[in-house]
Every structure is written in C-alpha cells, then in structure tokens.
Amino acid sequence: MFATACAVLLLGFPVAFTLGGVALAFAFLGLGLGIFDMRLLGGLASRYFGVMVNELLVAVPLFVFMGVMLERSKIAEALLDTMGFMFGRLRGGLGLSVIFVGMLLAASTGIVGATVVTMGLLSLPSMLKAGYDPKIACGTICAAGTLGQIIPPSIVLVLLGDILQGANTEAQLALGNFAPDPVSVIDLFAGAFLPGMMLVGLYMLWILLTGWLSPKSCPPVERAAGDTEALGLRALRVLVPPATLIILVLGSILFGVATPTEAAAIGCIGALLLAGRAVVNDERQAWPVYVAAGCMVALVPLVTTFDLRMQRDQVPLQDMVAAVVAGLCILAMLFGVAVSIGRVYRSGILTEVMQATVKISAMVFVILLGASVFSLVFRGLGGDEIVEDVLKSMPGGAFGAMLVVMALMFVMGFFLDFIEIVFVVVPIVGPVLLAMGLDPIWLGVMIAVNLQTSFLTPPFGFALFYLRGVAPPSVTTMDIYRGIIPFVIIQVVGLILIAAFPGLATYLPEVLFR
C-alpha cells in the first residue's frame, strides 16, 4: 500500500487524492481478501470533525496570510536593500544580508517555496552584479530560504506539533501512563528556536570564512559617500517594524501571553499595518498606521498586567481605567486596520494575498483529509503493527530505529512536501519511537531539521528547483548543486549536534514551561 502510494505520486497525481484513492482501493482489496473491516471507515466522520473543531489549526491560514502579505507588499525587498547597504562593504556582506533577511522572513512566513523564490528574484541579480561567485550566491539563497522549516513560528512546526501531541498521548497510554505530560506546539516552538539560531550562525560563519579564504568569490560592495549619512535612519525605518512584529508574535507565544492561534491573528493585523504603510510614499499619510501599531503593542502589557473582565461584582479602579484605555486602543487599532485594508485593496495586493491564502490553506487541509483515510486503512490492514515490529527489531534499540526513520524521511523529502510526510509518516512511526523513550520535542526538532536538509540536497531538493525556476540563464543547474553542498554539510553537522546534545532542543522548553 505504501509503495503503491509512492509510485502513484511519482506519476504526478495530486497528493491528497492519491492518498485517499490508494487507501480506498486497498480497503476494498482487503475486504475482498477478508482482512479489512469496512466499519473502520466509519471513524472518518469523527476524524474530520476533529480537524474542523481543532482551534490550533486555525493558525495555519492565519500564518499563511501573514507571510504572503509581508511577501507581496515589498517589505522583503526593502529589507534586502537596507541590509545590503549595512553589510555590503564586508567581504561576504551581501551573503550575510541574505541569510539575515531569510531568517526574518522565515520567522514571519514559514513558507519555503515563497521565501526561496522571493529571495532569488530580489537578491540573486544583486549578488551576481556585485561579482559574487554564482555557486555561493545560489547556495546562500537556497539555505536562507529553507530556514522557514525550523525557525518558529513555522507552519511545519504547527502541523508537526499537532501530530506529535496525539502520537505522544497514544505512546504514553500504550505504556500504561494515563496522565501523560502534554506536548504542545508552544513547546515545539521553544525547542526549535535555539537549533534554528544555531543554523543561522553556522551559515554566517561559513560566509565569513569563504570571504576570508576566497575574497574574489564574495567581494565587498562599494557605497556612494552620501548613502552612509541616512543609513541609520533608513535601517530603523525598515528593520524595526518587521522585527517588532516578529518579537510580538513569537514572544507572546513563548512567554504564554497568547496561544499560537491568537499570536497568528496578531501577526495578521501587524502584516496588514505594515503593508498599509508600505504602499504609500507620503509620510504624512502614515499616522493611522503608526497609531494603530502603537496601540497594538500597548495592548499586550494591558492584557497581561490588569484583569479586564467586567463581569464581576466589584471592579477595582485600576482595572476599570485599564479596560477603558484598552477599549480606546482597540478602537484606534480598528481605524488603522480599516485604513490599511482600504489601501492594500486599492493597490491590488489584498486580492492576491487572499487568493494565495485560500489556495495554500485548501491544499494543506485537503492533504490532511486524504492522509486521514490513508492512515486509517493502513492501521486497519495491520501496517502499524508491522512498522512497530520492524523498528523494535532494529539493532541499536531506539537509536537504530530513529536512524532508519530519519533516513526514510530524508529520502521521501526528495519527492514529497513536508505536509505529506508529516501527515502520513509521523502518525505511523511517532507513537513507536516515543514509546521507546525518545523525547517528543527533541524528535520533532530532529524531524524538522532533517526535512530541511532533504529539501536542500541535490539532485531532488525542492529548494533547488524553486531557485532554478527564477534564476537567469547564466546560472547553470550545476552552479546551484555545487553551491548548496557546503550548506548541506552544515545541516548534517547541525543534525549531529542536536542528536549529540538533546539539550539544544529541550533546554528552552524546560526553562520556560516546566
């Protein structure tokens, strides 16, 4: 059944319908052979209803909207230009700029394809014009674009966290623990933060080392004399708003102020405000956006410091004043959002963003529904028992089983997107690995970094094809392949470090939430 699904996928059929169709075909085959009970398919309704009422999954379209809005409103272009001016005079400075902006986009979009394409369109011509070796330019852009897999808040981590939560519960119940410690998406966000920053640091070290060893491959960029004067003001104007939004979204999640869904809603409002500011050239027209942004930031300490519930017999004066101030902030914020929506709509950006959000969200959830059918039939045919027996019989115990699963996911990452792998493979192997004593947060981070490495690895890595689609004809496919090899080695080193030192993934969740 699994081999047939992979073969049909390689023929080019849509993933969601392939998973569901192959599953139904094998369900009827199993019925004919007397080894499958069709009554199991009656559980699909409850599974689908569980998806519909899962509040956590609301974060998916919200984060998609936030990322696409920031991408289409030219904010990434302004970031790249500014960072290029700041670091361009260093050897490898443009490469450092690409990695830094890739990190910011990863923390705001989490969509690998969109990030690689955007970075390729904006930065590749600039790097080639500055005299960069095409191999280094292509490798840097692909590596920076895939950071969205691991740096929170990432769609990969949202979906992976939801699946691991159920897998951990199933594993603990099988071990006789009927009150397991919960594993949430917030835990996975915290666990992925340090490994993500570690990869960013390793990327930057490689660029600096390359600039030192081979100065001609990544030369400095000369600036005009007058550019330096306004650089500080320009950096503040361009960098502070998106950085504040990222800190607001990620910080509210990690410090328990908001759930991922609530933080994603904050991110949507912030992205709208940034886009509303970006589409006007006159600074005098930006005041509604600045007022709304200030009020949005002010609401966070108001909500966390004061009890704003009015359904009480006695409301202290300070809470009453805080509630009035919060109400005024909400009204001002709504006014700024309304102004921004009007501007973004008139510019044509809003329609594009809404359409892209619907398409990406529909793709994610249709694949989830197809994967639910596949998983149900796979288990009904006894596939989960076979997988458990195979993994438990591996030499090396939990380490050997983990190594086999990582290798399988790595190869599957050549042909399938992360969504299919997370929805199909993790529910099957997750409970077995967790029952063998592996930490769920560490396992989730390892899977995310492993898939990120797979998407970078020649000759089938998704990121390479995304860049090939927007690269000029002067850049060959072999330039892309050769340029990415050092970053793949860095990824493997990162995986080894996380495997050898699990505290890289588990330290921050323990400090923040235990």
Side-chain angles (χ1 to χ4, degrees), residues 77-90 93-98 101 126 220-223 231 234:
E77 185 174 351
L79 281 170
L80 274 171
D81 288 343
T82 304
M83 296 305 298
F85 271 106
M86 291 179 66
F87 293 123
R89 298 180 71 175
L90 295 172
L94 277 181
L96 295 178
S97 303
V98 169
V101 175
S126 302
V221 180
E222 295 299 327
R223 287 200 305 258
L231 183 58
R234 178 180 174 183

Side-chain angles (χ1 to χ4, degrees), residues 16-32:
F17 305 122
T18 295
L19 294 174
V22 169
L24 289 176
F26 273 82
F28 285 113
L29 179 62
L31 176 65

Side-chain angles (χ1 to χ4, degrees), residues 23-154:
L24 289 176
F26 273 82
F28 285 113
L29 179 62
L31 176 65
L33 296 175
I35 57 174
F36 184 77
D37 187 353
M38 293 297 287
R39 289 177 295 180
L40 286 174
L41 294 179
L44 281 177
S46 60
R47 283 194 173 205
Y48 287 174
F49 187 75
V51 173
M52 294 165 62
V53 299
N54 189 344
E55 184 182 344
L56 174 65
L57 294 179
V58 178
V60 173
L62 292 176
F63 277 131
V64 171
F65 178 90
M66 171 184 167
V68 177
M69 179 63 75
L70 291 175
E71 173 204 344
R72 299 291 170 88
S73 56
K74 309 295 185 185
I75 292 171
E77 185 174 351
L79 281 170
L80 274 171
D81 288 343
T82 304
M83 296 305 298
F85 271 106
M86 291 179 66
F87 293 123
R89 298 180 71 175
L90 295 172
R91 290 176 184 173
L94 277 181
L96 295 178
S97 303
V98 169
I99 292 173
F100 185 82
V101 175
M103 178 189 71
L104 291 180
L105 290 179
S108 57
T109 65
I111 305 170
V112 170
T115 305
V116 172
V117 170
T118 302
M119 302 285 282
L121 288 171
L122 297 179
S123 60
L124 185 56
S126 302
M127 297 178 80
L128 296 177
K129 183 179 178 181
Y132 270 64
D133 187 317
K135 296 188 290 294
I136 293 178
C138 293
T140 303
I141 291 170
C142 287
T146 57
L147 287 171
Q149 291 280 106
I150 185 65
I151 295 181
S154 163

Side-chain angles (χ1 to χ4, degrees), residues 403-414:
L403 193 61
V404 170
V405 171
M406 289 291 109
L408 174 65
M409 288 186 175
F410 183 81
V411 174
M412 291 184 70
F414 291 157

Side-chain angles (χ1 to χ4, degrees), residues 2-26:
F2 190 81
T4 302
C6 292
V8 175
L9 285 172
L10 291 177
L11 294 176
F13 285 93
V15 174
F17 305 122
T18 295
L19 294 174
V22 169
L24 289 176
F26 273 82

Side-chain angles (χ1 to χ4, degrees), residues 34 39 84 93 107 130-131 211 243 261 268 270 293 339 400 408-409 421 451 459 487:
R39 289 177 295 180
T261 303
C268 287
V339 171
L408 174 65
M409 288 186 175
I421 297 173
L451 291 179
F487 294 95

Side-chain angles (χ1 to χ4, degrees), residues 176-217:
N177 180 8
F178 297 99
D181 293 331
V183 177
S184 67
V185 173
I186 301 176
D187 293 323
L188 200 55
F189 278 3
F193 184 77
L194 289 180
M197 293 300 103
M198 177 187 70
L199 289 176
V200 171
L202 292 174
Y203 288 169
M204 289 185 168
L205 282 176
W206 169 250
I207 295 295
L208 291 173
L209 181 63
T210 304
W212 179 57
L213 295 176
S214 178
K216 292 183 179 180
S217 63

